[in-house]
Amino acid sequence: MKYISTRGNISPVGFKDAVMMGLATDGGLLLPEHFPAVDTATLASWRQLPYRELAFQVISRFVDDIPAGDLKKLIDKSYDSFAHPEITPVVAKNGVHILELFHGPTLAFKDVALQLLGNLFEYLLKETGRKMNIVGATSGDTGSAAIYGARGKENINIFILHPYGKTSPIQARQMTTVLDANVFNIAVEGTFDDCQNIVKELFNDLPFKEQYALGAVNSINWARVLAQVVYYFYAWFRVADKKETPVTFAVPTGNFGDIFAGYVAKRMGLPIAKLLLATNENNILTRFINEGDYSKGSVVQTVSPSMDIQVASNFERYLYYLFGEDPARVRDCFSHFAATGRMTFTAEEMNKVRAEFASRSVNEAETLETIAAFHRETGYLLDPHTAVGVKAALEYTQDGTAVCLATAHPAKFGEAVEKATGNPPSLPASLHGIEKLPTRCEIMPADRAAIRNYVAEKAL
Ligand SMILES: *Cc1c(COP(=O)(O)O)cnc(C)c1O
């Protein structure tokens, strides 16, 4: 399988190069040259596979430059760190199925992809004798999942900047209690934007980036999307009967990575009825789907902070297909957007969008109400991100066939859960005693030069 860029200006690369490249060198995003087709007979033969084996079947169709035995080992190892034997179990509650994606080491769905990405990086670096210094900024979930994906890995150091005192206490602890020698937490005296700007500046400093082999783990890496395709298949087998029953998936959305993985599964032949894109008050994607209006607003803070995003970094991948795989149209669209803060679409394009997607925006009051009602009626606790998806799913269909992706464990967002139900959620075993564990973290001013020097000093 070869990979091409949405902007059309790179020569096709293999999977291994696509993983190491992250962002395409022409500024676009990488996509497979075609979608491997999964026919009905193959689909039927996958029905009983345990998660790891299904993951190998799905992922290996996109990878032809890693020996099958090695790929299988990397996948198996990635899901050994999950606390549930099914990895991503599905539970049926109150007219909706919940696909629990939070059984990984940091209790959010990002573990599903970042455990695999960490192992892929280690494998590919060893093969080429290279080293990598991962640098990233986080407002919470991504940073801890990235740290757990990279901890203890050979030839990798990881530096994660978070805004000092501005993540949830549990999120900060999840990061700073990781004491592996290759993990460097930097608590920046500033905002998440300060952290992100400093990281961007380090990556834009090309000589620095080269010298220290900087690597990124953000959600535009193709391997992250690919790992997430697997659980759409896994969930479909749990809820659809033996026929080709189409299933609707509700997806709490921020950067459009998770829902794009669903689009890939659909293009491979998985019978998906609709991809229901659920947003909080940051609803640019809902306005796009329902009104054809893609215009940038400013970010609003909500109780589902991992979805507080305006411009979704993976959206470009979908636009490439919407525009009939025409990179020139993608380039025009983004230059128009850079100039005007707006994208425009034809009526025909919007029909195409609505054939694949539906969307709902769920506000804070509705989110808290959904957590409370769901808990009252079923005893099941939703985290605020999942509640956005569940509310959207229940509004869209009440017939019990929809699957909502549960993107985080409620204990990660205890404050919102307590506000909704009156009680704090109980902590899962992995968080017991976390407040007493020793921590390691460098507190630094929001000063680019100081952080640059720190990275240079500690880099491999
Ligand atoms: C990252 C995240 C999301 C958003 O996922 P995208 O792939 O960015 O759309 C939703 N919920 C939680 C808990 C997350 O951590």
Side-chain angles (χ1 to χ4, degrees):
M1 178 69 78
K2 290 279 190 255
Y3 290 83
I4 50 157
S5 165
T6 51
R7 306 273 172 121
N9 289 326
I10 67 162
S11 31
V13 296
F15 175 77
K16 294 198 289 197
D17 287 335
V19 172
M20 295 311 282
M21 203 182 271
L23 192 71
T25 44
D26 64 357
L29 302 188
L30 294 163
L31 284 168
E33 239 171 9
H34 67 272
F35 291 115
V38 177
D39 59 23
T40 318
T42 310
L43 202 57
S45 74
W46 288 358
R47 178 168 283 276
Q48 304 299 336
L49 294 182
Y51 190 92
R52 290 173 179 79
E53 283 173 44
L54 180 65
F56 175 73
Q57 289 302 328
V58 173
I59 292 171
S60 61
R61 277 165 171 71
F62 291 88
V63 183
D64 54 17
D65 52 3
I66 297 178
D70 290 357
L71 184 61
K72 188 141 199 7
K73 267 189 232 155
L74 291 169
I75 291 170
D76 287 351
K77 187 160 100 175
S78 300
Y79 299 111
D80 283 348
S81 57
F82 278 59
H84 195 287
E86 276 198 73
I87 315 300
T88 65
V90 178
V91 298
K93 297 277 169 203
N94 241 19
V96 60
H97 289 89
I98 311 273
L99 169 57
E100 294 185 342
L101 302 175
F102 51 71
H103 294 285
T106 73
L107 308 174
F109 86 94
K110 294 189 169 70
D111 289 325
V112 177
L114 283 166
Q115 286 291 306
L116 181 64
L117 187 63
N119 286 322
L120 278 168
F121 276 156
E122 185 178 51
Y123 176 86
L124 298 176
L125 290 169
K126 190 163 204 159
E127 199 176 66
T128 54
R130 285 185 289 167
K131 300 179 189 309
M132 178 189 276
N133 292 290
I134 295 171
V135 181
T138 189
S139 56
D141 282 348
T142 307
S144 57
I147 286 171
Y148 272 79
R151 69 184 296 183
K153 296 277 187 294
E154 283 175 48
N155 302 315
I156 297 177
N157 273 0
I158 181 165
F159 301 82
I160 295 292
L161 281 62
H162 71 266
Y164 184 48
K166 295 198 176 74
T167 65
S168 84
I170 284 195
Q171 286 176 326
R173 287 256 145 195
Q174 279 184 313
M175 293 189 277
T176 59
T177 55
V178 178
L179 302 182
D180 298 69
N182 72 331
V183 173
F184 299 89
N185 278 290
I186 303 172
V188 176
E189 293 169 320
T191 63
F192 170 61
D193 279 345
D194 292 330
C195 298
Q196 208 166 26
N197 287 335
I198 291 168
V199 169
K200 266 189 206 152
E201 285 170 10
L202 294 181
F203 276 90
N204 286 339
D205 180 346
L206 293 182
F208 185 81
K209 181 179 173 223
E210 288 285 303
Q211 185 182 354
Y212 293 101
L214 297 194
V217 285
N218 41 24
S219 72
I220 48 88
N221 194 298
W222 168 251
R224 284 187 63 178
V225 174
L226 179 55
Q228 292 168 201
V229 174
V230 176
Y231 48 68
Y232 285 89
F233 281 87
Y234 189 81
W236 185 84
F237 291 124
R238 307 286 87 70
V239 307
D241 60 21
K242 291 186 182 56
K243 310 273 176 349
E244 294 169 42
T245 321
V247 172
T248 288
F249 284 88
V251 188
T253 294
N255 266 322
F256 205 83
D258 216 359
I259 197 161
F260 184 74
Y263 177 78
V264 173
K266 186 166 192 218
R267 292 290 305 262
M268 291 172 75
L270 188 69
I272 291 180
K274 276 276 159 59
L275 291 159
L276 177 57
L277 187 153
T279 56
N280 60 25
E281 281 92 337
N282 298 288
N283 61 2
I284 178 169
L285 290 166
T286 300
R287 285 189 280 113
F288 159 64
I289 291 169
N290 294 346
E291 294 154 39
D293 167 31
Y294 189 91
S295 56
K296 197 159 116 182
S298 45
V299 178
V300 181
Q301 286 199 357
T302 73
V303 288
S304 42
S306 300
M307 293 155 62
D308 292 348
I309 286 160
Q310 281 290 332
V311 177
S313 54
N314 271 291
F315 186 53
E316 178 167 347
R317 286 196 156 107
Y318 174 64
L319 288 180
Y320 178 78
Y321 296 105
L322 180 61
F323 296 155
E325 307 187 23
D326 176 6
R329 172 86 166 88
V330 175
R331 291 196 301 267
D332 284 351
C333 181
F334 276 93
S335 49
H336 181 73
F337 184 67
T340 64
R342 214 181 190 104
M343 290 182 190
T344 47
F345 301 92
T346 64
E348 193 189 331
E349 284 164 351
M350 287 317 300
N351 287 339
K352 210 162 139 187
V353 170
R354 291 177 192 131
E356 317 267 15
F357 295 91
S359 187
R360 295 283 186 279
S361 170
V362 176
N363 68 28
E364 183 154 329
E366 292 170 316
T367 304
L368 296 175
E369 228 169 76
T370 303
I371 297 174
F374 218 76
H375 185 245
R376 205 167 48 236
E377 288 158 20
T378 68
Y380 189 90
L381 264 186
L382 300 167
D383 104 286
H385 305 79
T386 309
V388 168
V390 164
K391 171 74 179 169
L394 291 175
E395 240 179 56
Y396 187 75
T397 164
Q398 294 267 353
D399 64 3
T401 58
V403 174
C404 177
L405 276 58
T407 52
H409 190 289
K412 263 197 117 158
F413 299 94
E415 225 173 283
V417 170
E418 183 167 2
K419 201 165 158 191
T421 65
N423 292 305
S426 52
L427 296 184
S430 64
L431 293 182
H432 284 168
I434 195 169
E435 69 286 351
K436 295 194 204 81
L437 292 177
T439 60
R440 189 160 54 80
C441 180
E442 199 71 32
I443 301 166
M444 299 186 73
D447 170 5
R448 185 183 67 106
I451 290 171
R452 188 180 191 276
N453 289 340
Y454 180 80
V455 171
E457 185 192 318
K458 305 287 184 188
L460 284 172

